[in-house]
Amino acid sequence: MSNPSILILPGDGIGPEVMSEVKKIITWFGDKRDLTFDVSEDLVGGAAHDAHGVPLHDDTMAKAQEVDAVLLGAVGGPAYDDLDFSVKPERGLLRLRKEMDLFSNLRPAQCFDALADFSSLKKDIVAGLDIMIVRELTSGVYFGEPRGISEQNGERVGINTQRYTESEIRRVAISAFELAKRRNNRVCSMEKANVMESGILWRDVVTEVHKDYPEVELSHMYADNGAMQLVRAPKQFDVILTDNLFGDILSDCAAMLTGSLGMLPSASLGAPMENGRPKAMYEPVHGSAPDITGQGKANPIACILSFAMALRYSFDQGVEADRLEAAVEKVLADGVRTGDLLAGEGVTPVSTTEMGAAIIAALDASV
Ligand code: NAD
């Protein structure tokens, strides 16, 4: 059987810096765990625009459709701010998400004990937190028609449409229930069924899908209450399932429970391919951080944890994903910190490569 394949798209700014540490970790798994990947690399975002005049070349798009997983660094930066909207770096990312039909966006909010002080909430509310937000990514109010700004009765009117079909709700609900089975068997679905018809349909369809998952406990919550509960008692949740708009907001809110942007991974999954693996792209939540690019200051952990998600969700290597996450936890517990994680006095920050090396040393110690 051939090795599983990965397409690496480092992108712009700190993207190549953090991805370089991930590449070393991929090599480590090949050398030490007999887990070898066929890795190819290509351009996306501003880097692709510099080379080809477009933020994603058609050949790169075709490769992304073929591989088992795409790992993306970050796109964008001030050099590209004045480009036409149609060729802005972000268009490359959106094209990947759209053409791969990555409808299920997984955003974990996990609080490492060593970083519990970083949260804006009290330590006992977030210590040990481990929740997963599943956000529908390809439909809803960001895509619904009609949309636009028009003139009516002598004034401008802005219109967006929240629209969901049953099948769009069903597939993301399946994704959330499947995920809950690998975690703690609980899904809380959030919408606004009290004031939105699309919310009523959302609740109906999720309840129907739940019939196939009797082992998973399902609850429903209005999204505004969900936001309140996320900051009041976030540990009550396991998997939160929600639509595109609410998911956008709730996942950013949940992210801040855990501290730094440099720590947050994500996965975007689509339909299963012929080999049973879902179409998938893994990327840190952060952007290209132009303010620290080229200075060796970037925290590579968000990108490394994104690869851990790939191990778990694309390659069925849950044990190795646990190993990588435990290595990150060990390094943080040992007090190793990049600049973004510095709290208090007397801690000297390590560089991007030093953080990567510390994680590899912890991996070495784990075998
Ligand atoms: P950003 O996430 O790039 O940076 C926000 C702040 O967090 C900065 O101070 C940055 O230094 C810090 N930061 C981010 N990641 C870090 C890391 N790994 N280690 C240490 N510090 C880190 O967001 P921004 O400044 O709003 O955007 C910069 C560029 O990135 C823009 O062009 C934006 O469009 C783009 N962007 C891209 C993505 C993506 O590729 N998915 C996401 C968000 C923003």
Side-chain angles (χ1 to χ4, degrees):
M1 233 171 67
S2 60
N3 296 324
S5 55
I6 297 178
L7 173 63
I8 290 187
L9 302 174
D12 307 320
I14 62 167
E17 299 171 40
V18 294
M19 195 58 87
S20 154
E21 300 313 306
V22 174
K23 286 192 254 179
K24 293 175 197 167
I25 286 173
I26 294 175
T27 304
W28 184 90
F29 276 98
D31 292 347
K32 303 285 170 70
R33 304 301 300 156
D34 206 14
L35 195 55
T36 304
F37 297 94
D38 288 339
V39 179
S40 54
E41 189 166 330
D42 214 326
L43 304 172
V44 69
H49 185 269
D50 290 344
H52 308 300
V54 285
L56 188 75
H57 196 278
D58 289 346
D59 292 348
T60 317
M61 186 65 242
K63 270 191 230 165
Q65 297 281 21
E66 279 164 17
V67 292
D68 294 318
V70 176
L71 289 185
L72 186 135
V75 297
Y80 308 105
D81 281 352
D82 295 333
L83 286 181
D84 185 72
F85 182 73
S86 63
V87 289
K88 274 194 183 298
E90 291 74 11
R91 304 304 298 173
L93 186 53
L94 293 177
R95 182 175 177 200
L96 282 161
R97 287 182 184 155
K98 185 164 188 290
E99 293 192 19
M100 292 169 77
D101 201 10
L102 303 174
F103 56 81
S104 179
N105 181 224
L106 276 48
R107 292 262 303 255
Q110 196 177 2
C111 187
F112 290 96
D113 282 350
L115 298 182
D117 283 330
F118 254 83
S119 172
S120 46
L121 298 188
K122 292 193 193 94
K123 190 171 178 171
D124 60 315
I125 291 183
V126 292
L129 178 75
D130 181 8
I131 61 183
M132 178 74 82
I133 298 197
V134 177
R135 164 190 173 194
E136 199 291 324
L137 199 61
T138 51
S139 184
V141 75
Y142 294 157
F143 296 91
E145 298 282 347
R147 63 185 298 162
I149 300 176
S150 59
E151 189 88 18
Q152 284 176 25
N153 302 325
E155 62 175 344
R156 287 177 303 158
V157 182
I159 295 176
N160 289 93
T161 302
Q162 166 84 336
R163 179 180 188 279
Y164 271 108
T165 63
E166 282 186 81
S167 54
E168 286 167 344
I169 302 169
R170 185 168 295 114
R171 63 185 189 172
V172 73
I174 289 170
S175 157
F177 285 118
E178 288 291 336
L179 198 64
K181 283 202 311 191
R182 300 183 187 197
R183 294 173 48 96
N184 295 312
N185 276 317
R186 285 184 294 123
V187 171
C188 180
S189 170
M190 295 187 185
E191 27 56 16
K192 292 276 288 176
N194 48 344
V195 286
M196 295 169 75
E197 285 76 6
S198 58
I200 296 174
L201 182 68
W202 183 280
R203 193 176 279 222
D204 272 2
V205 175
V206 172
T207 306
E208 264 169 45
V209 174
H210 178 231
K211 290 186 186 135
D212 294 332
Y213 296 89
E215 68 278 43
V216 179
E217 182 190 311
L218 170 66
S219 58
H220 302 276
M221 199 177 268
Y222 297 137
D224 49 343
N225 183 26
M228 215 155 66
Q229 296 299 328
L230 263 179
V231 287
R232 192 187 71 81
K235 283 189 253 181
Q236 69 184 285
F237 298 114
D238 177 21
V239 174
I240 292 174
L241 164 65
T242 191
D243 74 10
N244 202 343
L245 172 64
F246 296 137
D248 193 0
I249 298 164
L250 293 171
S251 60
D252 269 18
C253 172
M256 282 327 291
L257 302 175
T258 69
S260 168
L261 205 50
M263 295 290 301
L264 296 167
S266 80
S268 301
L269 307 179
M273 299 183 286
E274 261 174 31
N275 61 12
R277 295 185 173 123
K279 284 246 163 103
M281 180 158 76
Y282 299 87
E283 54 183 314
V285 168
H286 63 71
S288 59
D291 53 334
I292 56 166
T293 295
Q295 300 170 34
K297 288 183 179 168
N299 183 352
I301 292 181
C303 204
I304 289 171
L305 291 177
S306 300
F307 176 61
M309 291 185 85
L311 286 171
R312 181 169 284 118
Y313 298 118
S314 280
F315 304 121
D316 234 354
Q317 294 287 343
V319 171
E320 300 305 328
D322 287 347
R323 179 189 305 282
L324 181 52
E325 286 164 357
V328 169
E329 183 146 28
K330 162 91 173 50
V331 163
L332 293 172
D334 289 347
V336 182
R337 300 278 187 274
T338 41
D340 57 311
L341 299 179
L342 281 180
E345 309 237 320
V347 190
T348 310
V350 299
S351 66
T352 310
T353 47
E354 285 166 336
M355 179 57 94
I359 292 169
I360 288 193
L363 283 172
D364 277 336
S366 78
V367 293

